Amino acid sequence: MNRRLPGALSALAVACSFVLASSVAQAAPDARLLAAAEKAQPAVIDNLKDMVLIESGSLNVDGLTKMADVVEGQLKSTGFKTERRKATAGAGADIVVGTLKGTGKRKIMLQAHMDTVYPAGILGTQPYKVDGGRIYGPGIADDKGGIAVMLAALRILGDAGWRDYDTLTVLFNPDEEVGSVGSGELISTLADQHDVVLSFEPTAAKSVAKGEALLLGAAGIATATLEVKGRAAHAGAAPELGRNALYELAYQMLQTKDVPKETPGATLNWTVASANGPLNQITAKAQALGDIRITQPGAEKKLEAALRSKIDSSKLIPDTETTLKVEVGRPAFLAGEKGAALAAKAQAIYKEIDRDLALAPMTGGGTDAGFAGRSGKATVVESFGLAGFGYHAKDEYIEVDSIVPRLYLVTRLLTEIGKQ
């Protein structure tokens, strides 16, 4: 896959939108798929409620097991062969993988995550509730709405007898909110065996954004660890004999804070600092953690080299030792030309039902689309879940009027992919 920079993606997205708006006549909707989507809406809402009432934080293995039971049962009822694999790190909850063989040529993978960021007992303070055109609940948008859309779309297509694919694979992982530490490699491995991957994170609610969107890029995530070793001494009787690691840490944080400005495709923010030792002792050890976001492949390596150069070139406290470690978690996601072309096709499909669909070139938040697109072998597009807002917050919700359009979008797009 030809991976372009975010600016190029933005230009490509604008170009796609212009072409669609100016030179492609709006097609009539597929009446059967639209009717099926409308008929499916009540069942989607019921499924959403059932899933939201399962507390499935990333460390809640019992809740995640219940979620795995729900999604696996629905996949089996749609004809999928299923298996469970333990996540290789973290809490070790189950990954659910479903496969279905068809009669076509394309290998298609759909992915979403079962975990949420919320602690056990959250339903006591943030219950499931319906308020007009919104449905509230912890994790309802991120990402149980995506799961509900995916499962309903697969049922619609299964009932319609659609088999225009070689292999249809579904993956639900239990640890996306903690970096997919135990499932990311499996996502990458399976994605490389497919032609297209659709990822079902939510899209922004219309009430808080200019409109729904598909995502063509997401930042990768890495962690910088800065450690300083100094020398302990009595803070009152002989402070001059010590080497204050806390002072040196503060100095290094300040002198490196602007280094990312000279490293295209990477940002760094020092967000956590700590030191140990008693109050009456010159600090001997101190540590800082930094959040790194990556929007260009390889930018984290350039940033690490630049940080090391700055740290090695200057220190405040003699006889202190500063070390730096950069660990990459979720890789960056860049859809490239093929992904942008597929998203443009989705735009045209949404126009069939008089809905606008933007193409967002980049977001600072990470997504498992980064693992799916890491090698560039598969065409990957993100954000096929429901329109919502308040992710990871007190009033997370989805918009009910996005259910039918999203079901139509996914079912129509899958049939188009199958024709290629």
Side-chain angles (χ1 to χ4, degrees), residues 4-234:
R4 295 194 170 199
L5 305 185
L9 276 173
S10 180
L12 183 58
V14 171
C16 289
S17 300
F18 177 78
V19 169
L20 285 168
S22 62
S23 63
V24 179
Q26 180 174 328
D30 184 309
R32 290 187 299 175
L33 287 179
L34 184 56
E38 292 169 347
K39 183 179 179 181
Q41 177 169 303
V44 171
I45 293 174
D46 288 342
N47 197 23
L48 273 172
K49 181 178 181 179
D50 290 343
M51 289 191 291
V52 170
L53 292 179
I54 299 172
E55 294 185 344
S56 58
S58 302
L59 302 180
N60 188 339
V61 176
D62 288 342
L64 289 166
T65 299
K66 292 176 182 177
M67 278 296 301
D69 291 341
V70 168
V71 299
E72 184 177 30
Q74 293 187 41
L75 286 175
K76 285 182 175 179
S77 70
T78 315
F80 280 77
K81 177 182 177 181
T82 64
E83 63 173 315
R84 295 200 192 189
R85 305 188 188 186
K86 291 293 183 184
T88 58
D94 288 344
I95 304 165
V96 178
V97 179
T99 54
L100 195 60
K101 296 297 292 185
T103 58
K105 298 180 180 180
R106 306 286 280 175
K107 295 181 179 180
I108 306 168
M109 176 172 156
L110 313 179
Q111 66 179 25
H113 65 90
M114 300 179 290
D115 62 320
T116 75
V117 301
Y118 299 96
I122 190 64
L123 288 169
T125 56
Q126 292 180 230
Y128 174 94
K129 66 178 182 179
V130 180
D131 184 4
R134 296 176 179 176
I135 305 178
Y136 291 80
I140 193 166
D142 185 16
D143 189 26
K144 294 178 180 181
I147 294 173
V149 167
M150 185 198 301
L151 291 171
L154 291 172
R155 184 170 296 279
I156 288 171
L157 291 173
D159 290 345
W162 179 68
R163 301 189 66 204
D164 197 9
Y165 50 87
D166 174 272
T167 305
L168 191 57
T169 300
V170 174
L171 183 146
F172 297 112
N173 65 321
D175 56 354
E176 188 274 345
E177 298 292 5
V178 289
S180 301
V181 292
S183 63
E185 290 304 316
L186 178 61
I187 291 171
S188 292
T189 298
L190 289 181
D192 285 353
Q193 299 168 14
H194 292 76
D195 301 303
V196 176
V197 178
L198 305 185
S199 191
F200 282 74
E201 291 285 355
T203 184
K206 301 184 299 302
S207 57
V208 296
K210 294 181 179 179
E212 298 172 49
L214 294 179
L215 186 60
L216 300 180
I221 300 173
T223 301
T225 302
L226 194 63
E227 293 185 342
V228 178
K229 293 182 180 180
R231 184 192 303 158
H234 195 292

Side-chain angles (χ1 to χ4, degrees), residues 343-392:
K345 187 182 292 292
Q347 279 185 314
I349 289 171
Y350 236 35
K351 277 296 185 182
E352 295 173 0
I353 54 173
D354 295 318
R355 302 274 291 203
D356 292 326
L357 188 63
L359 304 184
M362 180 59 64
T363 180
T367 162
D368 282 337
F371 282 114
R374 185 171 66 182
S375 72
K377 293 180 180 180
T379 299
V380 184
V381 180
E382 177 63 273
S383 294
F384 286 93
L386 292 175
F389 189 65
Y391 327 130
H392 302 190

Side-chain angles (χ1 to χ4, degrees), residues 246 249 253 270-275 286-289:
L246 191 58
L249 179 71
M253 291 168 64
W270 297 112
T271 54
V272 178
S274 61
Q287 181 188 80
L289 301 178

Side-chain angles (χ1 to χ4, degrees), residues 231-234 237-243 282:
R231 184 192 303 158
H234 195 292
E240 70 280 0
L241 298 180
R243 297 293 181 265
I282 297 298

